[in-house]
């Protein structure tokens, strides 16, 4: 039986995707790979876990050979605001890491899923109903690495026939593992603030509208794309996908419906505000809908209600 490898398995997406993949394909068929962060008990005990260095060919090859891997969900990456603090490191992890994975996929005939992002667009991209195929001139290191990654994945498909597929994720909201170093992180932190202290200091200003998605939709999107009939895919790297589009005041109002005395104030961080200002407000995801049947299930209100219930259970509050 050939198996699946998840890199960045202890991160925001990986910590949930790994468990859903294990449920679907059998726990021992899904190998979780992390780097510095320790896996939580559930991940460590429910199936194989290993430590790898994604920029080191031999370290990844060892695992791919040992477990007879046929699909790689390559999630290990540095997010947008962290990448602005350490641009050279971000390029190394995001690009050299991806190149390592693609080279191994070429040699061992693996399919590869790579997340791209709204960050792959820039200030000259049309911000509303951002088309699938449009101007991509990002002005952040994160965005530059994401556009380059999209092109590199297409190149490996065209030149070597590696089955590469990807999504341009919006900001992702989840209750399991916190994101780190991202610009859309406010939309996760706000729930912790609301539940713990009934207040939150937002680092983006009012009116900063961005695409967002709840994690169950994000996980389903990745798995559905990887299972889609290859013959139907006109695009590969990477598909626009979205579920909702909101500004800080919109999510604040949605939380207030559940927690009426919640209060939000603004303390704008210029670095992250500038990044957010360069990103689309709302992507057009019709290509994903028509080529592999994408459809989001959670809107802002459904996500807010579930986030509050799940986080209250987790925080015992
Ligand atoms: N959520 C990511 C970030 O803010 C965008 O892909 O960096």
């Amino acid at each position: 039986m050939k198996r699946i490898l998840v890199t960045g398995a202890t991160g925001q997406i990986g910590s949930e995707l790994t468990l859903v993949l294990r449920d679907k394909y059998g726990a021992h068929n899904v190998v979780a790979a992390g780097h510095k962060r320790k896996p939580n008990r559930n991940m460590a005990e429910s199936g194989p876990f290993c430590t790898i260095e994604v920029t080191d060919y031999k370290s990844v090859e060892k695992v791919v050979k040992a477990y007879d891997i046929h699909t790689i969900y390559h999630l290990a990456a540095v997010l947008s605001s962290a990448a602005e603090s350490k641009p050279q490191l971000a390029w190394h992890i995001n690009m050299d890491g991806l190149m390592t994975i693609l080279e191994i996929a070429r040699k061992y005939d693996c399919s590869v899923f790579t997340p791209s992002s709204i960050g792959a667009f820039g200030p000259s991209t049309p911000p509303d109903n951002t088309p699938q195929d449009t101007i991509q001139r990002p002005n952040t290191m994160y965005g530059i690495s994401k556009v380059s990654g999209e092109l590199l994945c297409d190149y490996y498909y065209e030149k070597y026939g590696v089955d590469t597929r990807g999504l341009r994720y919006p900001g992702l909201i989840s209750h399991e593992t916190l994101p780190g170093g991202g610009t859309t992180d406010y939309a996760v932190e706000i729930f912790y603030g609301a539940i713990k202290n009934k207040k939150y200091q937002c680092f983006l200003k009012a009116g900063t509208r961005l695409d967002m998605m709840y994690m169950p939709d994000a996980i389903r999107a990745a798995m559905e794309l990887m299972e889609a009939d290859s013959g139907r895919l006109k695009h590969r790297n990477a598909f626009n996908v979205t579920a909702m589009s909101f500004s800080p005041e919109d999510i604040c109002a949605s939380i207030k419906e559940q927690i009426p005395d919640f209060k939000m104030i603004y303390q704008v961080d210029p670095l992250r505000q500038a990044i957010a200002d360069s990103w689309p407000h709302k992507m057009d995801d019709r290509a994903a809908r028509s080529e592999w049947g994408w459809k989001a299930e959670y809107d802002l209100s459904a996500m807010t209600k579930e986030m509050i219930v799940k986080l209250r259970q987790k925080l015992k509050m």
Side-chain angles (χ1 to χ4, degrees):
M1 170 80 189
K2 292 200 164 200
R3 302 188 180 92
I4 298 171
L5 172 67
V6 182
T7 73
T10 56
Q12 190 198 11
I13 305 174
S15 59
E16 297 192 44
L17 175 66
T18 303
L19 300 183
V20 178
L21 288 168
R22 282 180 177 168
D23 268 353
K24 176 149 195 194
Y25 300 109
H28 54 284
N29 293 322
V30 180
V31 182
H35 184 221
K36 285 188 182 138
R37 204 186 288 171
K38 279 197 168 165
N40 62 29
R41 229 174 115 186
N42 203 359
M43 179 174 293
E45 289 176 1
S46 66
F49 182 87
C50 57
T51 301
I52 61 165
E53 177 63 69
V54 288
T55 55
D56 176 13
Y57 186 94
K58 285 203 166 10
S59 144
V60 182
E61 185 183 40
K62 208 168 120 188
V63 175
V64 167
K65 273 170 81 174
Y67 289 98
D68 196 11
I69 298 294
H70 71 109
T71 299
I72 305 174
Y73 285 82
H74 176 48
L75 308 178
V78 178
L79 290 185
S80 58
S81 99
E84 284 314 288
S85 314
K86 294 190 175 170
Q88 293 76 15
L89 177 75
W91 176 267
H92 177 55
I93 305 285
N94 293 4
M95 293 313 302
D96 297 335
L98 177 59
M99 191 64 166
T100 306
I101 296 294
L102 289 172
E103 270 299 287
I104 284 172
R106 176 160 82 95
K107 184 165 175 193
Y108 293 95
D109 198 16
C110 303
S111 306
V112 180
F113 171 82
T114 315
S116 185
S117 158
I118 47 172
F121 298 113
S124 51
T125 302
D128 291 299
N129 294 320
T130 304
Q132 172 66 40
D133 300 305
T134 186
I135 303 165
Q136 288 183 271
R137 303 284 295 171
N139 56 0
T140 63
M141 180 51 89
Y142 179 69
I144 293 166
S145 74
K146 287 295 167 190
V147 178
S148 309
E150 290 184 7
L151 296 173
L152 193 60
C153 287
D154 273 343
Y155 184 83
Y156 267 70
Y157 172 68
E158 295 293 341
K159 192 163 177 86
Y160 302 117
V162 177
D163 182 7
T164 56
R165 307 181 187 198
L167 300 172
R168 291 185 187 128
Y169 274 135
L172 298 181
I173 296 154
S174 61
H175 49 79
E176 184 64 37
T177 306
L178 280 163
T183 301
T184 55
D185 295 10
Y186 92 86
V188 181
E189 290 170 5
I190 193 170
F191 285 100
Y192 285 82
I195 290 168
K196 285 183 177 166
N197 310 312
K198 295 202 161 66
K199 58 183 186 213
Y200 179 65
Q201 188 171 292
C202 185
F203 58 75
L204 295 183
K205 67 182 180 205
T208 310
R209 196 157 61 82
L210 294 168
D211 283 293
M212 298 279 179
M213 186 180 285
Y214 189 37
M215 190 58 84
D217 274 339
I219 287 171
R220 193 170 48 77
M223 291 170 63
E224 284 179 6
L225 173 62
M226 291 311 280
E227 282 171 2
D229 174 3
S230 178
R232 281 184 67 196
L233 302 181
K234 290 192 209 80
H235 298 85
R236 281 184 165 262
N237 302 285
F239 285 93
N240 286 0
V241 281
T242 188
M244 55 191 103
S245 165
F246 60 75
S247 302
E249 64 273 26
D250 301 323
I251 187 168
C252 174
S254 183
I255 292 173
K256 265 175 176 283
E257 282 174 22
Q258 311 298 316
I259 306 174
D261 47 351
F262 172 58
K263 287 198 170 39
M264 183 172 76
I265 56 162
Y266 295 94
Q267 178 71 46
V268 175
D269 168 16
L271 174 83
R272 286 179 285 187
Q273 185 64 48
I275 296 173
D277 287 342
S278 76
W279 288 353
H281 307 147
K282 190 173 190 326
M283 290 183 284
D284 178 340
D285 60 5
R286 277 177 299 176
R289 288 166 185 267
S290 71
E291 290 176 42
W292 49 278
W294 161 246
K295 192 173 183 325
E297 282 176 4
Y298 286 85
D299 61 10
L300 176 58
S301 163
M303 181 217 29
T304 302
K305 284 185 193 136
E306 195 169 301
M307 275 294 286
I308 290 174
V309 170
K310 298 274 184 184
L311 263 188
R312 276 188 171 140
Q313 285 166 0
K314 177 176 161 181
L315 301 171
K316 300 189 174 42
M317 298 184 90

